[in-house]
């Protein structure tokens, strides 16, 4: 059950991260980061690693985009 909830958190974060790759919408990554971190935490409690790995990928995309944009853009 924790894996399923982790995947849901990852999908929510991904839906926020995708439009945030557009210039001047990078602030959306700051909104997506808590969802991705919560998904990683819930995925760590699960027996399977699918949800955790998915959230880690979304988290990495958001962090790289924030670094490229200087943290805001």
């Amino acid at each position: 059950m924790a894996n399923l909830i982790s995947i849901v958190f990852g999908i929510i974060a991904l839906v926020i991260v995708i439009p945030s790759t557009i210039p001047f919408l990078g602030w959306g990554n700051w909104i997506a980061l808590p969802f991705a971190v919560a998904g990683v935490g819930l995925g760590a409690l699960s027996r399977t690693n699918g949800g955790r790995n998915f959230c880690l990928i979304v988290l990495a995309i958001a962090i790289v985009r924030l670094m490229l944009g200087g943290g805001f853009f």
Side-chain angles (χ1 to χ4, degrees):
M1 187 65 172
N3 191 42
L4 181 63
I5 296 171
S6 175
I7 291 172
V8 170
F9 273 111
I11 290 172
I12 292 170
L14 185 64
V15 166
I16 297 170
V17 166
I18 288 174
S20 297
T21 59
I22 299 171
F24 300 109
L25 293 178
W27 51 267
N29 287 315
W30 288 109
I31 298 169
L33 286 177
F35 287 107
V37 170
V40 169
L42 286 171
L45 297 175
S46 175
R47 277 189 237 149
T48 58
N49 294 330
R52 185 201 60 186
N53 293 343
F54 176 61
C55 287
L56 283 172
I57 291 170
V58 173
L59 185 67
I61 292 170
I63 289 173
V64 167
R65 172 61 179 94
L66 278 172
M67 287 190 315
L68 289 174
F72 190 70
F73 297 110

